[in-house]
């Protein structure tokens, strides 16, 4: 065997070994599982996330961010999520969604 043949054989062996690793990296093709949360719950959670200040902390690119700020925002988020306000927001968003659905029932698709 000459050097070219040896190198070519090694490259072929390496490329076939790497194929399974690449094939597994297509996670966006995995089946989508339905959410366990309603749209109202997601919207209420988003509002709580924003109100707690956690969204602003997550959005920042400042690496000198005081670690206390993140902890404070996370504590506020947990507090709001456990409060009656969260349940109230869920009901509010669910009512809006129900009203939107009932107002479009009489409309037919073109």
């Amino acid at each position: 065997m000459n050097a070219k043949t040896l190198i070519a054989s090694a490259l072929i062996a390496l490329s076939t070994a790497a194929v399974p690793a690449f094939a597994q990296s297509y996670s966006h093709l995995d089946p989508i599982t339905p959410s366990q949360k309603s749209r109202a719950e997601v919207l209420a959670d988003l509002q709580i996330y924003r109100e707690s200040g956690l969204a602003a902390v997550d959005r920042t690119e400042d690496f000198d961010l005081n670690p206390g700020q993140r902890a404070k925002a996370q504590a506020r988020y947990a507090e709001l999520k456990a409060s009656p306000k969260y349940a109230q927001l869920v009901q509010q968003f669910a009512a809006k969604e129900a009203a939107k659905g009932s107002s479009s029932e009489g409309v037919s698709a073109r």
Side-chain angles (χ1 to χ4, degrees):
M1 267 192 177
N2 63 19
K4 286 183 182 180
T5 307
L6 187 60
I7 291 173
S9 298
L11 287 175
I12 290 171
L14 287 175
S15 66
T16 57
V19 169
F22 288 121
Q24 294 173 1
S25 67
Y26 293 109
S27 62
H28 65 280
L29 296 178
D30 292 341
I32 297 172
T33 56
S35 174
Q36 300 300 314
K37 291 187 175 192
S38 68
R39 179 174 175 78
E41 288 172 309
V42 171
L43 292 172
D45 187 53
L46 178 60
Q47 186 164 335
I48 295 289
Y49 174 72
R50 289 175 176 161
E51 286 181 21
S52 69
L54 198 52
V57 170
D58 285 343
R59 191 173 45 238
T60 186
E61 293 181 9
D62 185 8
F63 293 109
D64 294 330
L65 181 70
N66 180 356
Q69 287 176 300
R70 174 172 290 286
K72 184 178 175 183
Q74 286 174 329
R76 178 75 176 136
Y77 172 79
E79 178 185 315
L80 287 170
K81 186 87 182 252
S83 74
K85 181 176 183 171
Y86 175 74
Q88 180 184 14
L89 285 170
V90 170
Q91 289 176 348
Q92 183 181 4
F93 285 118
K96 282 183 183 177
E97 198 66 27
K100 190 188 306 183
S102 66
S103 68
S104 64
E105 285 179 5
V107 179
S108 63
R110 294 182 186 196

